[in-house]
Every structure is written in C-alpha cells, then in structure tokens.
Amino acid sequence: METLTRKDAKERSDSVDLAEIDIVLDLSNAKTSQDSFYSKSTIRLQTADPELFVDLIADSVESVKVNGEPARYEVGKTRVTFQDLPTNQDIELTIESRCKYSTTGEGLHRYVDPEDGETYLYTQYEPTDARRVYACFDQPGMKAQWKFEITAPADWTVLSNESVSSRELIDEGVARWTFNRTHPLSSFITAVVAGPYAHVDGGVWSGGASDGKTVDVPLGIYCRRTLEPYLDADDIFSVTRAGLDFYHRHYGFTYPWGKYDQIFVPEYNLGAMENPGCVTFNEKMISRDKPTRAARQSRANVIFHEMCHMWFGDLVTPKWWDDLCLKESFADNQGSFGLVEATEFSDEWATFASGRKEWAYKQDQLPTSHPIAAEIEDVEAAKNHFDGITYAKGAAVLKQLVAYVGEDSFFEGARLYFQDHAFEATSMADFLEALEESSDRDDLDQWQKAWLHTVGPSELSVQRHDDHCVVFQTSTDPKTGESQLRPHRINIGFYRVENDRLVRVGLKEVTLSDQRLRVDFPEGEADFDLILSNDDDLTYAIVVLDEDELRVALEYVGSIEHATSRAVIWSALWAAVRDAKLDPEDYVDAVARHVLVETDDAVASDLISNALSAITYFMPTQKRREVASKFVNCAIDALCKSESADRKREWAQAAVRGLVLAGTPNDDQMAFLQDIVSGNSHLLDVGPNLAWRGRVTMAAVGALNDDEIEEYLKADPSGEAEVYALRARAASADRNVRHRFWNSVLNEEMANDKMTAILNGLADGALANDVLGFAGDFFDLVQPFWNDHTIGMGNRFVAGAYPGVIDASNAPDAAALRFMAAHWLSEYEYAPAALRRLMLEQQDELERRFRIQTTWLNR
C-alpha cells in the first residue's frame, strides 16, 4: 500500500495551489444491506507538476476526468495518479467512485441501533481517513473551501461543517441537502453526519472578541433517539456557552465557523473530534446512569478541548503531523485552563495532575517515547502519535511555558498568532515568533529546544541542610544516555505535621535552570516533614520523595488543604510504586483510607482507578486476590457511610470492578453484587449501565449463565446492553466458550466496540478464574491480524488481547510469557513500524510489572 510520506506531502503542497473541493455523496442506500455508496469529488486547483496524485481508498473508481474530459491516470490502493495535467492554469479534476461504509470507526461509520433498528452515520478522518469517503488531498497543510451535497433518506437529519443552503425532495423518501461553502479547511476536519438523530436546540450564543466583530452562533446537540431521555443538554449547553465566553475573552479572534453543533455518536474510537461547526463526541459521555460530578467534569474538559481546536487546529492548522502538538498540546492545556477560570470545576488542575499527567509520565518512560515536536515520516507513523506525549506532556509543558513567560504574554502571543495566520497552515516556529513579540523574551528558541525536542521526564529531588535545601533536576536522554537540563519555574512547598494534618508553612518561587539550586528555608523555619519540589504543579517533572517523606505522605496526604498539592503528592506516590520504591499494597491501603476524605471527586476517581490498576498488574495472583477482596470490602463500607450520591456510585463501580480481581466473592460481597445486578440496591440508585457492569462481574465469577444474560438483554435491548451482554458472555470460565469468542475475533467481521467487548470479557474471565489466556495464539497471530485489518482495529486488538497480566510467583509461567514477548520482537524485526511500537510498549510494561512484583514478592 502506498504510504503518504512527509516528503511526498511537502512536494505536493509546494506544487499545488488548491482552491475548492465539491463533494457529492449518495447515502440513500444506507438503511439497506449494501456495503458501498456513491462518492464524487470535484477539485479546482493549479499545479506546477503535470503528474499529481489524489488520495482515495475506494471499492471501485468509476470515472476520472480533467476539465470534463477523460483523464490519463493510474489507480493504486490509496491514490489516483493523474498524468499529463495542464500546468500553471486553473483546472478541474473530477473523480467518481464507490466507497465502503465502515464498522471500524474510520471513514464513514455505519451503526444500526438494535433497540429501534434505526441507522446512523458519521465520519471520522484524523489523521488520514477522509480518503476512505471521497477523493481529496488528505494532508493537513493543504486547505480548500469545501461544498457538500448529500443525498439521504428524507426523514433523516444531515449535518456538515456549514449550515444547509437548500434541501429538496428528489424521489419518494429521498432528499438532497446542499451546504454552504466553508472557509479553508484541511480534509481531516471536514465532516458528514446523517441519520434520525434527536436534536436539542440550544438557542444562540452572541458575542465577539477584541477584533471588533460580533457573531450569533446557533447551538445544537444531537444524539441517537434512544439516548435522548438520558441527554443532560442543559449541562452541556452551559459548559459550551462558558467555553465560547472564555475563548473570545482571550483569543481576540471571533468564532468564524457559523454554527456550533455537538453530535454524540456510537462506536467511536476517540473521545471527540474538532470538526468546525460539527463537533463529534463519543456517546459514552451521555450516561444512562446519572452522571457523577467527575464524569461531568471529564466531559466538560473534552468540550473545552474541542472548542479550543476551533482556533488551535482549525483556524490555524499544522502543516504536517510533526507539529501535531501545535493543536493537541494546546487544546489539552487550554481545556484545563478554561475549566478552572470559567466553570464550576475550579480544581481542574488537580485532576490534570492526578490523571492526565500520569498518562504522560507513563508514555514518556517507554522505550518508544519521542519529543513533543516529533519527527513523523509518514501518515502511518502519525496515527500512533496521538499519545500521552503529544497531548498530556505537551499540555504540562505549556503550563510551564505560561509560568515562564507570564499569562498575559501567552494570550497576547496567541492573539498575534491568530491574526497573522488565520486560515493558514503553520509550524511551531510561527507561534513562538508571536510569543517572543508579545513577551519580549529572546530565549524561547532555547526553551523550545530544551522542552519540545528532548525525550523523557525530568525528576526533581530535594537534599536538606541546616538552613537550606538543594533542589536537583535529573533527566537523561534514553537513546544517547546524555544528561539534559531544562528551565523549570517552580514553587517549593514546605510542610509540617500539625494536629494530625500536613500543613504548608512556607512557599518559595524559584527558577531551576542548572542541575541544582540552593533554596533558603522560609525565615524562622527549619524543621519540615516534607518538602514538595513541584508544589502547585507548575512544571513537568516526576517528584522524588525520600523514604521518610514517603512515609509522611502515605500517612497524611489526605489532610493537605490544597487540592493540587495533594494531587502532586499522590503523583509522587504513584511514581514510587511504578519505580518499585513503594509497595503497591501500601499505596492501595492509602487510597482506601484517604479517598474517604478527598474533596475532589475527579481526583478520587483517578486514585481508585490507580489502586485497581496496582492490584491487577503489580501483585502476583494470590496477593492480588487478597488485596482486591480487602479493597472491595473497604469500597462497600465507604459506600454505606457516604452521604454523597456521586461518591456512592464511584465506590460501587470500584467494588464491582474489584470483585473480578478478587475471584470468588464471599457471602456479603455476593449479596452486594446481586443487589447491583438486580438494579434494586438499598444503598444507592443503580442505573442500567452499573447493573450491566455488575452482570459482567457476576458472569466472570461463574454466578450468571447465558440464559440469564439473555433474559436481562430482552428486558434492556439497547445498544449499550448488547455490548455489555457480549462482554458478559465472553467472561465465561468455560474453555470451549472462550475459544469460540476468541475465534470470532480472529475470523469474523465485527464492529470495533463489539470486538473490544469480547476481548475485555475474555480478560475478565481470565482474571476472575485464573484460567489460561491465549498468549501462544496471540503472538503467532497478531501480525496476520494487523495486516488484514485497519490500523484502528489493529490498535484495539493489541490493547485488548496482549497478555499483560503476569504472576511473578509462578516462575515457569512468568518466564514463558516473558520469553514469548521478547521473542516476538526479535523474530518480527521488520513488522510494520506501528505494530512494533505497540508490541515494544506492551513488553516494556510487562517487564515493569514483573520487576515490581519481584521486588515485593517476599515481603
């Protein structure tokens, strides 16, 4: 398959002056069993090269013309190459094809709701799947003004980036929608959504920015009809309006995309996508259970993240995926920044420190880590760079940049950037140039070399003396072994235990540019129980606590007043666990005690998740069962005592998940689980999703059979229930059943979410019953599976099927698993790069889990 490389993309972009693309799609057959649809692209441009390729992955190519006449061309697997084109003059290319509906979440995805039989369509393209739906130049630096014409069932809603200019009936039950032409857009943020979506009108947001313009923005929310009863539209609209206020207050460029529709779609591979005027979200953000505050905060963050992209990413777009951070790092940072300033979620930075940043630290310690500004040679490599480095590390580094240049200078730089480059494609150098102008700093080139072009996290540690301490930074390039220094603007917090509370008694603001920095103690103070080297979480660095500080933190972390300071200390504790410096059981015990008094629901949710992860991966089987059962008892007890409905649901979810790890429930645990499964608990209101999660656990521990699952499914025939039921059935301990589901993943064509459900169910059954997985099969079959499926399905298969649970106490099995993992990497040296990267990351995590278990095995 031809791969679009950075070199090819630049050459094409340099030779083409792209003006407009008109798209015609006929989706009138979407409700039938037909697997393809008609697609027509009309592209207007000038080219300096007589040979030019257009990206397209089609079932068939029906017609190719230049200026209305048959063209000379060749059709490849991913492109149509024109030959003998007229150069340096206006020309029109037309390609007609039939493209395939997708069930993988890539291209034009088709979903049939099992509850009412309705069909829903939506597109998802990033980074390079627009070519699966229509012929185009599928690279971010080539922007066109697009016009869409869509034929579909007349009773459907059809949406795109722009508003509808006309709608006409063209046949019985069939209509044609024509949309207004867009501003210049890259292909990956064009969008089509079609189906009988339920609609909630949010009225109009009116306002403007410092550019002097004002605008009225119509707001709309869409979802499947069967989800409409659970749609908390008021909350979503409230966050949306707060976001528009925030970005107009700071960005100085009035929203240019007309309407602001937000569509919640099924079987989505991502959290959301920033298609301007037509933002798509994973419909799992609409919970059939009453959403907890933590869930609402997470959704609000995503709303702010995608809205930031209307400027960073859509208005101004990276020329190539090397500068992916120019949109994703900024959106991740500004999403949290905006929530703190503009919403009820004022402790969002604490959540960022306890959750999002942990993703970055984990990713940055893998052997596949890369700079924030990565070298991305082709689009296949780009697909695996939507990771913790590009998003969370980039966001954390931008938080440090704001501390470095000042908040006012940062936003003034953003305003200059948008004014100078609106509707263009840029690089990070363009933003830094604007920031240098706004901040009057001349060292940002050094700053970006230290932060954007290096690999691995910094570590901050403190050495104490009589009247001062010395703060050290260490960071080593994992490839060269060389030390690398970064400038850190940080707060040093000084803490003492007073009246059973860990109290901050002093704070020093410092800049650490060299390997070490002397910091005098606060005046009149000397005796501290803990010195926190990244208080308030201003920089991106792992905080290293000494043994005494670890003990103090375990005992008193929940008593600290400031949410972000607590989160930084929790992060340090988790880092110590992952570095085998802190027993995972001690961490789990600390979570069980301190989450009871944690005031931030989102942080509490992150800590519970970490505790369950520690139990799953960092403990051998027998210890895992013991600690999991103890944790479940703590969760049930906390649920009984809690007066918060939100916290009750968090604890209930923790108990249900923990019972899979515990294996065989005791009588009290089984009684609790049965109440959850029935949906009739006296402890809390049990929603349908929690009830189904309980049924998965019940099936995994052998207490729910296939007939009973079927009865529950008849009572709740929803799409969500269908996926849960599949997971529950796959969780069986019966070897024949497990083999049947495993073979269905390997041999049957199925939707993305259904495959993931089966793989998760197989993992649940293996954990609950300590049965053998499919490690031998997996390592033999992973590359053939990868070769036969899209990269999205390949990613899901590796994530769900890799045998990542190891038991260091079982030496023969542990050795066999480690051998298979290492052998695959040596045997398949020339496997596709994206697959090798995933397999190397999984093997590295497997070895980390083995090291941690071995360290504490004989405690």
Side-chain angles (χ1 to χ4, degrees):
M1 179 177 287
E2 310 101 334
T3 297
L4 179 61
T5 67
R6 177 175 54 191
K7 177 177 178 292
D8 290 342
K10 184 179 187 306
E11 289 177 353
R12 182 168 66 173
S13 178
D14 288 345
S15 69
V16 171
D17 183 6
L18 178 59
E20 297 177 342
I21 300 180
D22 293 352
I23 301 296
V24 176
L25 301 178
D26 185 350
L27 310 178
S28 58
N29 67 354
K31 294 197 286 186
T32 72
S33 61
Q34 294 185 46
D35 63 358
S36 67
F37 55 90
Y38 172 82
S39 173
K40 177 182 177 182
S41 297
T42 302
I43 307 173
R44 301 181 187 92
L45 54 80
Q46 288 192 8
T47 177
D49 192 333
E51 184 172 296
L52 177 66
F53 67 92
V54 178
D55 302 306
L56 176 66
I57 299 175
D59 203 28
S60 63
V61 176
E62 307 290 319
S63 172
V64 179
K65 295 181 179 180
V66 178
N67 295 332
E69 298 296 328
R72 289 194 62 207
Y73 66 95
E74 291 182 358
V75 177
K77 291 183 178 180
T78 64
R79 61 185 58 169
V80 175
T81 302
F82 287 83
Q83 298 165 346
D84 298 332
L85 289 175
T87 58
N88 302 314
Q89 60 183 275
D90 292 340
I91 60 174
E92 183 175 275
L93 312 181
T94 304
I95 301 177
E96 296 179 77
S97 62
R98 293 201 67 83
C99 296
K100 301 198 76 168
Y101 293 109
S102 165
T103 57
T104 68
E106 300 147 298
L108 180 59
H109 187 88
R110 178 166 61 178
Y111 173 83
V112 178
D113 190 331
E115 191 167 358
D116 61 8
E118 295 286 3
T119 299
Y120 294 88
L121 306 176
Y122 64 88
T123 57
Q124 173 55 41
Y125 297 150
E126 191 175 36
T128 182
D129 286 319
R131 59 186 175 164
R132 296 181 183 275
V133 182
Y134 32 76
C136 61
F137 297 110
D138 213 358
Q139 63 187 76
M142 295 187 72
K143 291 189 168 188
Q145 292 186 270
W146 301 70
K147 186 175 183 178
F148 286 86
E149 180 183 290
I150 312 296
T151 300
D155 59 346
W156 277 14
T157 293
V158 179
L159 304 169
S160 188
N161 303 93
E162 268 290 348
S163 56
V164 174
S165 61
S166 67
R167 177 187 180 277
E168 58 178 328
L169 288 172
I170 60 172
D171 202 348
E172 184 176 354
V174 178
R176 178 186 295 126
W177 286 257
T178 302
F179 293 83
N180 292 313
R181 192 171 296 281
T182 70
H183 289 295
L185 289 178
S186 305
S187 58
F188 76 94
I189 47 177
T190 58
V192 175
V193 175
Y197 286 89
H199 172 226
V200 179
D201 187 338
V204 172
W205 178 90
S206 298
S210 57
D211 57 4
K213 300 176 183 178
T214 58
V215 65
D216 292 331
V217 181
L219 306 179
I221 298 174
Y222 298 81
C223 69
R224 286 187 294 121
R225 288 177 180 173
T226 52
L227 269 184
E228 186 178 15
Y230 309 100
L231 176 63
D232 44 344
D234 289 345
D235 184 65
I236 295 170
F237 281 132
S238 176
V239 172
T240 302
R241 290 176 178 277
L244 288 168
D245 288 341
F246 171 81
Y247 290 117
H248 281 85
R249 184 160 59 247
H250 288 295
Y251 282 1
F253 197 103
T254 300
Y255 180 78
W257 307 112
K259 64 188 178 70
Y260 200 82
D261 288 333
Q262 298 175 99
I263 307 97
F264 292 82
V265 299
E267 296 182 335
Y268 204 45
N269 286 336
L270 311 175
M273 185 64 207
E274 66 266 21
N275 317 305
C278 192
V279 185
T280 44
F281 292 82
N282 194 317
E283 70 175 20
K284 291 176 183 176
M285 295 182 193
I286 303 174
S287 177
R288 297 196 305 156
D289 299 350
K290 184 178 180 181
T292 63
R293 189 178 191 277
R296 290 194 306 108
Q297 181 173 342
S298 175
R299 182 177 63 197
N301 180 282
V302 177
I303 291 171
F304 265 66
H305 177 116
E306 301 308 323
M307 191 178 290
C308 174
H309 278 313
M310 301 300 110
W311 289 266
F312 280 109
D314 295 357
L315 178 65
V316 186
T317 309
K319 288 180 181 178
W320 181 246
W321 302 109
D322 287 356
D323 283 309
L324 180 59
C325 59
L326 191 54
K327 69 186 193 73
E328 296 303 346
S329 300
F330 281 78
D332 229 41
N333 172 275
Q334 294 290 278
S336 293
F337 196 110
L339 253 60
V340 171
E341 179 180 308
T343 74
E344 65 183 280
F345 305 112
S346 56
D347 282 338
E348 168 64 17
W349 282 126
T351 309
F352 180 81
S354 71
R356 198 70 169 172
K357 248 177 126 174
E358 295 303 336
W359 179 30
Y361 291 141
K362 178 180 177 180
Q363 188 87 45
D364 212 9
Q365 294 177 82
L366 292 171
T368 57
S369 185
H370 57 84
I372 295 171
E375 293 284 327
I376 299 179
E377 295 297 330
D378 56 44
V379 293
E380 300 305 314
K383 290 181 179 181
N384 276 344
H385 275 74
F386 291 81
D387 60 13
I389 303 298
T390 303
Y391 282 73
K393 180 181 179 179
V397 168
L398 284 176
K399 187 179 183 185
Q400 172 63 194
L401 178 61
V402 173
Y404 194 68
V405 302
E407 185 177 312
D408 291 342
S409 293
F410 177 84
F411 282 119
E412 178 59 26
R415 289 189 285 272
L416 291 172
Y417 176 66
F418 296 136
Q419 291 164 16
D420 291 345
H421 299 289
F423 305 111
E424 295 178 357
T426 63
S427 67
M428 180 62 76
D430 295 307
F431 176 77
L432 292 176
E433 182 181 339
L435 194 57
E436 284 183 339
E437 182 178 344
S438 67
S439 64
D440 290 328
R441 297 198 72 112
D442 59 5
D443 60 350
L444 292 186
D445 185 59
Q446 293 177 311
W447 182 93
Q448 62 101 12
K449 287 178 181 177
W451 279 109
L452 303 184
H453 296 276
T454 56
V455 177
S458 298
E459 289 189 349
L460 298 181
S461 58
V462 176
Q463 186 179 89
R464 303 184 191 212
H465 298 274
D466 290 341
D467 60 352
H468 70 279
C469 63
V470 177
V471 182
F472 293 86
Q473 68 159 311
T474 57
S475 180
T476 303
D477 187 306
K479 293 182 174 61
T480 66
E482 296 179 359
S483 177
Q484 50 194 15
L485 298 177
R486 298 171 175 137
H488 297 270
R489 289 288 297 272
I490 53 178
N491 289 343
I492 310 296
F494 299 88
Y495 288 80
R496 183 182 300 126
V497 176
E498 297 180 354
N499 299 319
D500 284 333
R501 297 180 63 85
L502 193 57
V503 179
R504 187 165 71 188
V505 294
L507 188 72
K508 287 289 187 85
E509 299 178 11
V510 300
T511 299
L512 172 64
S513 298
D514 296 321
Q515 186 178 12
R516 66 183 66 193
L517 177 71
R518 174 186 168 124
V519 179
D520 292 334
F521 288 156
E523 186 175 351
E525 303 284 354
D527 187 19
F528 307 105
D529 293 299
L530 187 147
I531 299 176
L532 188 56
S533 56
N534 186 27
D535 212 346
D536 300 318
D537 198 40
L538 295 182
T539 196
Y540 174 77
I542 293 173
V543 171
V544 178
L545 302 178
D546 64 30
E547 288 188 14
D548 290 337
E549 289 176 325
L550 284 174
R551 177 185 54 77
V552 170
L554 287 171
E555 185 68 24
Y556 295 104
V557 59
S559 69
I560 297 171
E561 179 181 1
H562 304 287
T564 302
S565 301
R566 290 196 304 273
V568 172
I569 292 179
W570 277 117
S571 177
L573 291 171
W574 184 238
V577 171
R578 286 182 52 80
D579 285 343
K581 296 176 181 177
L582 177 64
D583 191 326
E585 187 174 359
D586 290 341
Y587 178 88
V588 172
D589 287 345
V591 170
R593 285 184 290 112
H594 292 298
V595 168
L596 294 172
V597 295
E598 175 57 56
T599 58
D600 189 290
D601 286 340
V603 171
S605 180
D606 288 336
L607 295 176
I608 290 170
S609 181
N610 282 351
L612 290 169
S613 181
I615 295 169
T616 304
Y617 297 115
F618 299 156
M619 299 178 187
T621 301
Q622 187 56 41
K623 174 64 71 173
R624 182 181 73 230
R625 295 194 180 286
E626 293 170 2
V627 176
S629 183
K630 179 181 174 183
F631 191 73
V632 167
N633 290 339
C634 290
I636 295 173
D637 185 59
L639 191 161
C640 294
K641 294 177 180 177
S642 178
E643 297 180 359
S644 164
D646 281 0
R647 196 60 63 86
K648 282 178 179 289
R649 284 192 290 275
E650 293 286 357
W651 282 121
Q653 292 165 7
V656 169
R657 290 164 60 193
L659 283 170
V660 171
L661 306 176
T664 304
N666 61 36
D667 290 344
D668 290 341
Q669 291 168 346
M670 182 58 77
F672 162 80
L673 188 57
Q674 288 171 335
D675 285 347
I676 296 295
V677 165
S678 68
N680 296 311
S681 172
H682 67 283
L683 298 175
L684 78 163
D685 292 331
V686 178
N689 286 359
L690 178 57
W692 270 109
R693 190 62 188 85
R695 290 160 197 160
V696 170
T697 297
M698 189 79 89
V701 299
L704 193 69
N705 62 39
D706 203 59
D707 290 339
E708 291 168 318
I709 294 170
E710 183 63 26
E711 288 301 312
Y712 283 121
L713 188 57
K714 287 179 181 177
D716 178 11
S718 66
E720 293 80 1
E722 181 183 50
V723 173
Y724 276 119
L726 199 57
R727 179 171 179 172
R729 288 176 172 133
S732 171
D734 184 282
R735 186 157 183 80
N736 291 329
V737 173
R738 291 174 61 77
H739 270 284
R740 175 164 56 85
F741 277 105
W742 174 248
N743 288 329
S744 72
V745 168
L746 297 175
N747 301 315
E748 297 176 15
E749 184 175 332
M750 63 178 64
N752 47 5
D753 275 3
K754 291 183 173 63
M755 184 184 78
T756 296
I758 290 174
L759 293 174
N760 286 341
L762 292 172
D764 291 333
L767 281 168
N769 300 285
D770 195 24
V771 299
L772 291 175
F774 298 95
D777 281 357
F778 172 80
F779 288 107
D780 286 340
L781 298 173
V782 62
Q783 180 160 348
F785 186 96
W786 185 276
N787 292 340
D788 292 340
H789 293 77
T790 66
I791 193 170
M793 294 297 276
N795 285 341
R796 283 177 178 251
F797 182 70
V798 174
Y802 193 98
V805 176
I806 194 168
D807 182 355
S809 68
N810 186 332
D813 284 359
L817 180 55
R818 294 173 66 209
F819 172 80
M820 285 187 284
H823 179 73
W824 189 95
L825 291 168
S826 62
E827 185 74 12
Y828 291 92
E829 183 179 355
Y830 299 105
L835 173 59
R836 271 195 64 83
R837 170 181 168 164
L838 294 176
M839 295 293 283
L840 183 58
E841 291 174 351
Q842 292 281 1
Q843 189 244 8
D844 188 76
E845 277 296 300
L846 184 72
E847 287 297 320
R848 180 183 292 272
R849 294 161 187 171
F850 180 77
R851 288 196 304 273
I852 292 170
Q853 289 187 27
T854 302
T855 300
W856 305 105
L857 194 57
N858 299 314
R859 178 187 178 185

